[in-house]
């Protein structure tokens, strides 16, 4: 963990924001708390955090819209806090750029664990600490490099979040093989897969969007229905 990591917490329920601050501060993180989306956006314009935790229900702008605004300029991980349990709400957050979500009421220790997971992923790729047999892949106009955390498609830079990069890198590592949703989730998220197909599907959809892939006939990341995903 890097002690200088700053965590943005946006929640209009002061008690919850304070609780999250206590647990994260105990782990050595610097916490910036805001109770409205507007205040948070103004701060992010001046100093981007290492990670953001956004409540869905805010007084001036819902967390989904806030997530979308942040993603226009920034790639740091975003975790959504939501009291809603419907799959559609979770998928909405993920497709708008969130990396993970935690449903209220939540165990603060679980939230801390998810923060650490997201930050480890950033640190691993930003510092080139992860190593496999290949450090880069270059085929059919797609270039992805682990050392520089850089990805281009037909010469155009793709602004991928660490999570999106991880998904694409794993598929490239296993090019030509169909990777199941369960395998992809466990490899990228580092957790046991418990019916997380919708989570994987939402991130694949966002990755394809950034690659400007036609949903019905993608050229690169393809769906093998009932089996998983493959890259060609």
């Amino acid at each position: 963990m890097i002690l200088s990591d700053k965590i943005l917490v946006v929640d209009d329920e002061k008690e919850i924001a304070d609780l999250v601050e206590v647990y994260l501060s105990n782990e050595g993180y610097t916490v910036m708390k805001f109770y409205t989306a507007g205040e948070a956006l103004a701060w992010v314009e001046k100093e981007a955090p290492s990670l953001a935790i956004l409540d869905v229900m805010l007084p001036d702008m819902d967390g989904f819209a806030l997530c979308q605004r942040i993603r226009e300029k920034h790639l740091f991980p975003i975790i959504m806090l939501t009291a809603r349990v419907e799959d559609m709400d979770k998928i909405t957050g993920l497709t708008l750029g969130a990396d993970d979500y935690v449903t209220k009421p939540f165990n603060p220790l679980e939230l801390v664990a998810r923060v650490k997971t997201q930050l480890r992923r950033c640190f691993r790729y930003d510092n080139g600490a992860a190593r496999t047999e290949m450090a880069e892949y270059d085929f059919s106009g797609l270039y992805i490099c682990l050392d520089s955390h850089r990805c281009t498609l037909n010469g155009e830079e793709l602004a991928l979040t660490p999570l999106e990069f991880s998904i694409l890198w794993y598929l490239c590592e296993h090019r030509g093989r169909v990777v199941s949703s369960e395998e992809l989730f466990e490899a990228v998220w580092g957790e046991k897969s418990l019916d997380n197909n919708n989570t994987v599907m939402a991130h694949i959809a966002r990755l394809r969007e950034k690659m400007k892939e036609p949903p019905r006939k993608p050229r690169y990341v393809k769906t093998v229905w009932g089996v998983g995903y493959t890259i060609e």
Side-chain angles (χ1 to χ4, degrees):
M1 179 188 67
I2 300 175
L3 294 181
S4 60
D5 280 336
K6 292 184 179 179
I7 311 298
L8 170 66
V9 177
V10 188
D11 197 315
D12 64 334
E13 295 184 66
K14 187 176 185 301
E15 296 79 6
I16 292 179
D18 289 346
L19 178 67
V20 172
E21 180 183 30
V22 168
Y23 275 83
L24 289 176
S25 295
N26 285 342
E27 295 294 326
Y29 298 110
T30 299
V31 178
M32 305 301 298
K33 287 188 304 183
F34 298 98
Y35 306 116
T36 67
E39 293 174 320
L41 280 173
W43 181 79
V44 169
E45 287 297 316
K46 300 175 183 177
E47 185 174 358
S50 302
L51 178 145
I53 300 172
L54 312 179
D55 185 29
V56 170
M57 304 299 291
L58 296 170
D60 55 339
M61 178 191 302
D62 70 53
F64 296 139
L66 175 57
C67 175
Q68 192 171 28
R69 288 282 299 277
I70 289 174
R71 277 289 173 257
E72 290 174 0
K73 297 181 179 179
H74 303 282
L75 297 175
F76 55 78
I78 296 175
I79 299 175
M80 303 296 298
L81 290 183
T82 173
R84 305 173 180 178
V85 296
E86 292 84 358
D87 281 345
M88 211 50 235
D89 289 317
K90 296 174 182 177
I91 292 172
T92 297
L94 295 173
T95 53
L96 290 176
D99 296 281
D100 201 356
Y101 58 83
V102 175
T103 304
K104 294 180 179 180
F106 59 87
N107 183 332
L109 293 176
E110 178 191 355
L111 179 60
V112 170
R114 290 180 180 272
V115 166
K116 289 181 177 179
T117 296
Q118 293 296 332
L119 290 176
R120 274 199 305 269
R121 183 176 293 115
C122 288
F123 180 80
R124 183 167 68 246
Y125 289 113
D126 286 347
N127 290 275
R131 284 292 179 272
T132 60
E133 293 181 359
M134 290 286 292
E136 63 181 20
Y137 294 95
D138 189 355
F139 59 90
S140 302
L142 176 65
Y143 172 78
I144 184 168
C145 178
L146 188 62
D147 287 338
S148 63
H149 194 251
R150 182 169 177 258
C151 183
T152 63
L153 184 59
N154 297 321
E156 182 178 344
E157 193 90 22
L158 296 180
L160 302 181
T161 66
L163 187 56
E164 291 161 353
F165 185 94
S166 299
I167 292 171
L168 188 57
W169 179 262
Y170 191 82
L171 290 174
C172 285
E173 276 188 306
H174 299 84
R175 183 184 173 198
R177 179 169 76 80
V178 180
V179 178
S180 69
S181 295
E182 292 77 14
E183 178 185 343
L184 190 57
F185 185 86
E186 291 178 13
V188 174
W189 277 261
E191 301 176 16
K192 186 69 178 174
S193 176
L194 298 172
D195 192 25
N196 284 291
N197 286 349
N198 285 339
T199 298
V200 174
M201 180 178 66
H203 282 287
I204 290 288
R206 183 163 178 82
L207 181 59
R208 284 173 174 160
E209 181 183 347
K210 288 189 175 182
M211 296 174 74
K212 298 178 181 177
E213 291 257 69
R216 295 187 179 276
K217 290 186 178 181
R219 180 184 176 192
Y220 294 95
V221 182
K222 298 186 176 181
T223 300
V224 180
W225 295 107
V227 185
Y229 302 94
T230 186
I231 191 164
E232 297 180 356

